[in-house]
Amino acid sequence: MAWRFALMIDPAASDDGRTDYDATFTQVDPSAPALTVGELSTQRGDGIFESIGVVDGHPQEVTAHLERLAHSARLCDLPVPHLGQWRQAVARAAAACGEGEAVIKLILSRGVEHGPTPTAWVTAATAADFTAPRTDGIRVVTLDRGYGLATPAQAPWLLLGAKTLSYAVNMAALREAHRRGADDAIFTTSDGFVLEAPTASLILRRGDTFVTPAPNAGILHGTTQLSLFEHLEAQGHEVAYETVPVAALATADAAWLVSSVRLAAPITAVDGTPVPHDAALTAAMNAYLLSPRD
Ligand code: PLP
């Protein structure tokens, strides 16, 4: 990861009516230590984050990411981030990104143990080269997430719709996918429905309809999926949120994992069985996703 920029944010200083938040930021060396040992983000994964794609210095879908950060904060009983302050921090980070693709991360942690305020920071780094997954596609395996479709509503303390820093399970699922000879995973419910990937949303094409699993508190509502659905609808396609049975993966006309930085990666095999791959449509989707989007 080539770091480009890091900014500590003082979230406590955001609420006093100012419009310029520069004085609430401290730029730090991204390769030097910046957190204290009492940080609850590192001790417990107790915090939330966002990853924003940046193309030639333009941060994509900033409002959607800030709204999801605020949504995650509400679910986690964290102070709701001040959107003006975070928007200005994103602009500072984007200005450090230069040409090409980059990723800006926003992190809001519960703070230091027994400390008075949350800890917040923003980083910018060069993105990895995702040409191969975008063009050649990815093989996925289905992995049981271990809960039923009704669980998120029955157990909101599992925080299943929040983008929390506790991604150890998501990373373990990716390692399991690699052990099984695949590139990525699709989580399924224990009662046989499709959810999302560990770091991406799933979109299926069924004829002229694009379908994604309904984000009913069990999965994140992906900003990339939302943006693509708007674009596809504007082009005259049907889009739908549905409860998708696992069997639908094998019968789809095409399928993608979509996310803010890797963008649209076409699925070429599910659990070792090849599935159709629409190269032209994927290229058009990625051309749209790489264009400046607000
Ligand atoms: N689902 C999960 C679990 C994710 O971690 C992500 C992104 O990291 C997504 C879906 C896709 O979200 P977005 O399109 O906003 O990147």
Side-chain angles (χ1 to χ4, degrees):
M1 175 83 75
W3 294 108
R4 286 172 174 266
F5 180 80
L7 195 68
M8 302 304 294
I9 299 177
D10 178 2
S14 63
D15 235 1
D16 51 10
R18 71 179 92 203
T19 49
D20 182 354
Y21 296 94
D22 246 10
T24 70
F25 303 147
T26 309
Q27 190 171 342
V28 296
D29 176 352
S31 55
L35 301 177
T36 69
V37 291
E39 234 322 299
L40 292 170
S41 54
T42 51
Q43 287 192 19
R44 293 185 173 160
D46 194 355
I48 54 175
F49 78 107
E50 282 295 321
S51 296
I52 301 179
V54 185
V55 182
D56 294 333
H58 185 277
Q60 305 279 51
E61 300 286 346
V62 175
T63 301
H65 282 284
L66 292 180
E67 280 171 0
R68 193 170 60 188
L69 187 74
H71 176 67
S72 298
R74 278 186 210 101
L75 291 177
C76 295
D77 302 314
L78 283 164
V80 175
H82 189 284
L83 298 187
Q85 184 186 35
W86 285 82
R87 195 180 288 283
Q88 195 171 324
V90 170
R92 285 274 302 268
C97 286
E99 294 292 294
E101 291 181 52
V103 53
I104 292 176
K105 287 200 180 187
L106 319 180
I107 295 121
L108 175 63
S109 121
R110 185 125 0 234
V112 178
E113 201 161 11
H114 312 303
T117 54
T119 314
W121 67 100
V122 169
T123 62
T126 307
D129 180 358
F130 289 115
T131 311
R134 286 177 196 164
T135 50
D136 304 340
I138 52 172
R139 296 155 301 167
V140 303
V141 288
T142 51
L143 295 180
D144 187 347
R145 189 76 169 82
Y147 58 76
L149 205 57
T151 304
Q154 288 164 352
W157 46 89
L158 294 180
L159 303 176
L160 293 167
K163 193 165 168 70
T164 76
L165 290 168
S166 310
Y167 258 44
V169 167
N170 304 45
M171 297 299 106
L174 285 179
R175 290 194 300 276
E176 179 62 23
H178 296 156
R179 270 194 290 276
R180 296 186 189 192
D183 306 297
D184 212 322
I186 294 177
F187 284 132
T188 62
T189 65
S190 46
D191 42 3
F193 298 97
V194 172
L195 291 167
E196 62 185 343
T199 64
S201 314
L202 172 71
I203 297 178
L204 304 176
R205 182 171 72 78
R206 204 180 49 216
D208 196 34
T209 304
F210 292 82
V211 176
T212 197
N216 47 4
I219 60 175
L220 290 191
H221 200 171
T223 61
T224 317
Q225 171 266 311
L226 263 172
S227 176
L228 260 178
F229 266 29
E230 236 175 64
H231 175 68
L232 290 166
E233 252 191 320
Q235 299 212 312
H237 300 285
E238 296 285 319
V239 298
Y241 291 92
E242 291 182 5
T243 303
V244 181
V246 175
L249 289 173
T251 56
D253 294 312
W256 298 264
L257 292 186
V258 303
S259 52
S260 295
V261 184
R262 189 173 63 183
L263 306 181
I267 295 174
T268 56
V270 177
D271 293 329
T273 304
V275 293
H277 160 203
D278 186 336
L281 182 53
T282 303
M285 282 179 171
N286 279 320
Y288 164 70
L289 292 172
L290 285 165
S291 68
R293 290 178 290 127
D294 288 316

